[in-house]
Amino acid sequence: MLCWGAWANTFKATGIKWRFELYYIDFAIGMLLAATVIALTFGNLGFDGFSILDDLRLAGKRQEVAASRRGSDF
């Protein structure tokens, strides 16, 4: 809920210099890259010694489907 309006607010802050479609693609790619970098860096801070990639390998198919369904809600 904290960043719900992040896309619209940053689009308005550009002063309508970008086309809508180009800004949308740029924003989506930027957020995907930022989420990947954050997951790979902060995912290694766990107390059990597993990295985020280890945790993803240990997850079962049921957990992967559940996470994908929850992610598609937004």
Side-chain angles (χ1 to χ4, degrees), residues 46-62:
F47 61 91
D48 56 359
F50 292 122
S51 68
I52 189 73
L53 297 176
D54 293 333
D55 288 337
L56 289 174
R57 286 187 198 111
L58 289 173
K61 295 291 181 193
R62 179 182 239 175

Side-chain angles (χ1 to χ4, degrees), residues 1-64:
M1 299 293 272
L2 181 65
C3 297
W4 201 339
W7 180 86
N9 291 332
T10 55
F11 181 66
K12 290 177 187 177
T14 63
I16 314 299
K17 297 175 191 171
W18 286 57
R19 286 188 47 196
F20 177 79
E21 298 87 3
L22 294 176
Y23 186 78
Y24 181 79
I25 291 170
D26 185 52
F27 187 83
I29 292 171
M31 292 303 282
L32 178 67
L33 289 174
T36 303
V37 169
I38 289 170
L40 291 174
T41 55
F42 293 131
N44 294 330
L45 297 177
F47 61 91
D48 56 359
F50 292 122
S51 68
I52 189 73
L53 297 176
D54 293 333
D55 288 337
L56 289 174
R57 286 187 198 111
L58 289 173
K61 295 291 181 193
R62 179 182 239 175
Q63 289 83 6
E64 290 176 9

